[in-house]
Amino acid sequence: MTKVLLHNDRTAHLQGWLEEAGSGVEVSTCETHAGMAAALETFKPDVVFSIRFAGEGFPTEALLGPHGPRWLANGGSGTNHLGVWDGTRVTVTNTAGVAADMMAEYILGGFLHFTLDVPGLRADQAARRWDTRRMVRPLSGKTLLIVGLGHTGRSLAARAQAFGMKVLGTRARVQQTAHVDEVFAADDLLEALPCADFVAVATPLLPSTRGLLGQAAFAAMKPGVVIADVSRGGVIDHAALLGALAEGRVAGAALDVFETEPLPESSPLWDQPNVLISPHCSSVHADWEAASFEVFLDNLRRWEAGEPLQNVVDPVRGY
């Protein structure tokens, strides 16, 4: 019988979904990071389903160590918290694509926040001020650059074209992509940036993408660009971003991810009037967790039937 360890700060509902699915597996749970090593050594699971949650010391070393599972099912899309693993010893899967549509809507919402000047409208409302000089700006006719044409990037491209935007994108392997007018190689980012009125960052955090949007990238951008970031903290160099905001080169930034989370109270990003901060929630909606677990359940059926798993992550590429 397959032994499954559920790792989350809340596991009762996950156990319930397993029971409803009639999987017939043996289940144990771990609701802390610190308890993972003991749970692995005692229970000896074949499979760990893990949703990364807040707290110090995510148990990467234990999960990838000698008592770790043969299959580690990551409940989210990003696996940068796992580093690089031995693909011959453990298979890692993710749930990439589950939240792509929601994250695409978040990005467009961030753009509209600035083009409609929602902060200004709220200030006028608070002051009971009726300013007939106020104007809004359209997305139609503008150029969007999507940094990373994965699930989220492709979902965003379809929605951006519906708004009448010209869509550019970068991907590791250049190929024609639906709803994208021009695809650039990832290494050609600096060539694409000057064309963009809006930039959406949706690339994984890898050694090659850490600090990808730094001083050189911001210097290449068109003045007045608006940015939305749903990737991972570390892809955008926030010190360089702060400089670009101060210079007016970046007119606004919707940021959902940060290198240190929660964002420290001392961060100067909190004080920027043209920055919209959200607590890494662009993918979180009422049905997200159930959809993520359904991907796991489908793979669990494949695992028990000896079939190839879906959403297997390449340990070298990181996605």
Side-chain angles (χ1 to χ4, degrees):
M1 179 182 291
T2 300
K3 301 174 75 173
V4 176
L5 178 65
L6 301 173
H7 178 225
N8 191 18
D9 55 354
R10 300 171 298 109
T11 58
H13 61 302
L14 302 179
Q15 286 182 276
W17 289 339
L18 267 177
E19 292 171 2
E20 288 174 13
S23 58
V25 299
E26 185 178 350
V27 181
S28 186
T29 64
C30 178
E31 296 189 344
T32 67
H33 295 328
M36 177 56 71
L40 290 171
E41 189 168 357
T42 302
F43 185 58
K44 297 178 173 57
D46 303 295
V47 181
V48 173
F49 175 78
S50 175
I51 298 178
R52 188 181 184 186
F53 55 91
E56 295 294 325
F58 185 85
T60 301
E61 186 175 346
L63 286 166
L64 301 180
H67 299 293
R70 290 183 291 144
W71 168 27
L72 174 55
N74 183 51
S77 60
T79 57
N80 55 288
H81 59 293
L82 300 176
V84 178
W85 57 90
D86 181 355
T88 65
R89 199 196 67 76
V90 57
T91 297
V92 175
T93 61
N94 67 8
T95 59
V98 164
D101 292 348
M102 186 68 256
M103 294 170 78
E105 291 183 23
Y106 170 95
I107 291 168
L108 286 169
F111 292 160
L112 291 167
H113 176 83
F114 293 107
T115 59
L116 301 180
D117 190 17
V118 172
L121 291 171
R122 293 292 296 168
D124 283 353
Q125 181 177 343
R128 302 177 185 273
R129 180 170 50 240
W130 186 270
D131 187 353
T132 56
R133 298 167 300 172
R134 180 170 289 284
M135 297 179 67
V136 294
R137 292 179 290 149
L139 294 181
S140 178
K142 304 301 184 188
T143 298
L144 165 64
L145 172 62
I146 303 172
V147 183
L149 287 171
H151 293 282
T152 299
R154 296 194 299 273
S155 178
L156 173 61
R159 287 159 172 74
Q161 277 205 337
F163 270 89
M165 303 184 81
K166 179 179 180 180
V167 180
L168 314 178
T170 66
R171 61 186 310 170
R173 298 172 182 172
V174 175
Q175 56 186 284
Q176 187 173 354
T177 304
H179 308 292
V180 181
D181 297 290
E182 186 174 359
V183 179
F184 292 78
D187 291 342
D188 293 333
L189 176 64
L190 293 182
E191 179 185 338
L193 281 169
C195 307
D197 303 293
F198 296 85
V199 175
V201 186
T203 187
L205 177 62
L206 309 168
S208 60
T209 62
R210 181 172 291 280
L212 181 65
L213 273 75
Q215 289 186 352
F218 287 113
M221 292 180 190
K222 181 185 299 187
V225 70
V226 175
I227 296 172
D229 184 13
V230 297
S231 58
R232 282 294 186 272
V235 174
I236 290 184
D237 178 342
H238 283 160
L241 171 61
L242 284 165
L245 287 163
E247 295 168 3
R249 181 165 292 276
V250 174
L255 306 177
D256 188 51
V257 292
F258 306 88
E259 191 149 18
T260 300
E261 296 182 359
L263 183 65
E265 292 183 11
S266 59
S267 172
L269 288 168
W270 289 111
D271 301 319
Q272 302 303 309
N274 48 354
V275 170
L276 176 64
I277 291 174
S278 57
H280 205 145
C281 66
S282 63
S283 65
V284 181
H285 60 95
D287 300 322
W288 169 81
E289 196 171 22
S292 171
F293 202 72
E294 189 57 43
V295 172
F296 168 66
L297 289 175
D298 178 66
N299 260 343
L300 184 58
R301 288 188 286 268
R302 292 171 179 272
W303 173 270
E304 297 207 286
E307 300 174 359
L309 300 181
Q310 299 290 326
N311 279 37
V312 175
V313 181
D314 185 316
V316 176
R317 297 176 69 191
Y319 57 93

